Amino acid sequence: MGQVRHLLEGKKVSGVVSIAPSAPVLDALRLMAEHGIGAVLVMDGQKLVGILSERDYARKVVLLGRTSATTPVSEIMSHEVVCARPSDDVHQCMQVMTEKRVRHLPILDHKEVVGLVSIGDLVKAVIDDQKTELRHLQDYITS
């Protein structure tokens, strides 16, 4: 199985989609909708300080009666962010995400954020890899 860096190269959302911790949650929701993503990184300049997901919004704004227009991202973001490196294996990342019960994994090269992968990205990579292996096996058997 390949490294996470190969997944980042093939993603439709290139680069890093982020928002400042002081921004209203509504801006983060708009950003996620605009890019078709389920989480956004929270950055203070170049420093990763958290992550905000649709799950955070549902549980910490909607259920608590807050408003997304007046609540800052910093109040509902997840502060403890589980990260991976570009050289990490896809299976390792899936294992970490399962153990830590997270759906999004920021990718850091040293301390610089270079991307974000979701559990869906990793599952797709595994399925694509299995399809390729199956095709090779079928070609071997029929030749």
Side-chain angles (χ1 to χ4, degrees):
M1 179 53 47
Q3 296 178 335
V4 174
R5 78 176 75 250
H6 302 297
L7 288 182
L8 293 177
E9 293 167 1
K11 286 188 61 107
K12 56 184 174 180
V13 176
S14 61
V16 177
V17 179
S18 66
I19 195 156
S22 59
V25 170
L26 186 59
D27 288 355
L29 295 173
R30 285 185 178 129
L31 195 59
M32 287 187 268
E34 178 184 322
H35 290 279
I37 55 178
V40 62
L41 298 179
V42 183
M43 307 281 291
D44 187 4
Q46 295 297 312
K47 183 181 177 192
L48 177 65
V49 294
I51 187 168
L52 179 70
S53 69
E54 293 168 334
R55 180 184 283 180
D56 291 320
Y57 170 71
R59 293 181 179 177
K60 299 173 186 173
V61 174
V62 175
L63 288 178
L64 297 179
R66 294 177 171 174
T67 64
S68 54
T70 59
T71 304
V73 167
S74 60
E75 286 187 18
I76 70 161
M77 69 184 189
S78 297
H79 294 271
E80 291 185 30
V81 184
V82 179
C83 299
R85 296 180 309 262
S87 59
D88 287 348
D89 180 83
V90 168
H91 287 292
Q92 289 173 311
C93 290
M94 288 182 79
Q95 184 174 356
V96 166
M97 291 173 87
T98 301
E99 289 170 1
K100 300 292 184 177
R101 300 185 54 81
V102 296
R103 295 180 182 187
H104 300 89
L105 199 58
I107 308 302
L108 275 63
D109 192 3
H110 297 88
K111 291 188 179 184
E112 178 187 355
V113 178
V114 295
L116 178 73
V117 295
S118 69
I119 191 68
D121 296 329
L122 299 175
V123 168
K124 181 184 180 311
V126 169
I127 290 170
D128 289 347
D129 190 53
Q130 288 174 346
K131 283 181 183 178
T132 300
E133 188 173 338
L134 181 59
R135 192 170 39 252
H136 289 302
L137 289 170
Q138 288 171 334
D139 290 345
Y140 176 75
I141 290 168
T142 59
S143 63

